Amino acid sequence: MKQQRVVVLTGAGISAESGIRTFRDNDGLWENHRVEDVATPQGWAADPGLVWRFYQGRRRQLHEVAPNPAHLALAELQQGVEDFVLVTQNVDDLHERGGSEDVVHMHGRLETLRCEGSGRSEHRMEASDMGDEFLTCSCCMEPQRLRPDIVWFGEMPMQLERIYEAVEDCDVFIVVGSSGHVYPAAGLVLLARKCGARTVLVNADAPQNLDAFDEVHLGKAGELLPGLVSGWLSEGA
Ligand code: NAD
């Protein structure tokens, strides 16, 4: 695999062993909230206080969790492969803290907040940024309210052009910890396959789009990935 072009797509499952809950593990609820209430523009318009407090909770949680062996294994894979792109649906920072570089966060990030006026994102992880009160931006003359820098359902994922280009050109496409429910991320494996890539899945259980994979490894990412990565890096090609 060393000389091949590799794209990895991760989902909430890769962070599950670090203690961050996924969506689907809990009857479609995210930390006891309906996804429509906390992860849509309509939810923000209806009750911004609830949505703000929800994401402030997710942001504070980043201080309590650490990368697990699956995050570390992907950082090792990146070091060993010439052409590598890591795309994540996750909004946490565990890939970066596990050593991965240049991670493409297609659904946004928790460490940044976005100005509702200008649309600019700013890094806001000081202790004074973590409370339940709304925060304002530092980019506008008259400071505007900040919103979570998250791609909600119904909004356009980030860096799609770069993602499609990488997927169309790759030789190997690996998905880790994703249920295959959320589009367009779930459709990337079909694009990779159509373009001739070998498709590989590492997931706790069979996802919705199981048929799209050439190679399937069912189990916990933190237990499976370190061994798989060692094997891939010792492959001849
Ligand atoms: P999902 O919650 O829909 O599915 C998670 C998948 O991971 C499931 O198929 C489950 O079987 C699998 N899984 C659970 N534990 C695992 C483990 N230890 N090892 C391997 N697989 C495991 O997640 P999704 O497909 O990423 O889509 C949900 C959306 O939720 C994403 O858009 C994401 O932005 C958001 N989200 C992000 C986080 C995070 O940043 N950590 C957490 C929850 C939800």
Side-chain angles (χ1 to χ4, degrees), residues 87-109:
V87 179
T88 187
Q89 297 170 84
N90 294 346
V91 293
D92 65 55
D93 61 353
L94 294 179
H95 282 305
E96 284 86 354
R97 284 161 58 195
S100 291
E101 290 162 15
D102 197 19
V103 182
V104 181
H105 282 270
M106 66 184 294
H107 291 161
R109 303 170 60 186

Side-chain angles (χ1 to χ4, degrees), residues 45-94:
D47 192 346
L50 171 83
V51 176
W52 179 256
R53 289 191 299 278
F54 173 77
Y55 284 100
Q56 287 299 81
R58 310 277 68 69
R59 280 157 48 77
R60 288 192 290 266
Q61 187 188 25
L62 292 181
H63 294 306
E64 294 154 20
V65 295
N68 68 57
H71 298 103
L72 303 183
L74 288 185
E76 190 189 331
L77 185 62
Q78 180 169 32
Q79 291 307 316
V81 166
E82 269 177 30
D83 191 331
F84 181 92
V85 178
L86 175 56
V87 179
T88 187
Q89 297 170 84
N90 294 346
V91 293
D92 65 55
D93 61 353
L94 294 179

Side-chain angles (χ1 to χ4, degrees), residues 10-17 20-25 30 58 68 88-94 107-108 110 150-151 153 176-182 185 202-208 219-222:
T10 64
I14 196 168
S15 296
E17 287 159 81
I20 300 183
R21 286 205 237 161
T22 67
F23 267 172
R24 321 272 159 197
D25 289 349
W30 193 3
R58 310 277 68 69
N68 68 57
T88 187
Q89 297 170 84
N90 294 346
V91 293
D92 65 55
D93 61 353
L94 294 179
H107 291 161
L110 287 168
I150 302 292
V151 176
F153 288 96
V176 183
S178 185
S179 63
H181 277 84
V182 181
V202 181
N203 206 59
D205 52 23
Q208 177 124 315
K220 290 187 173 177

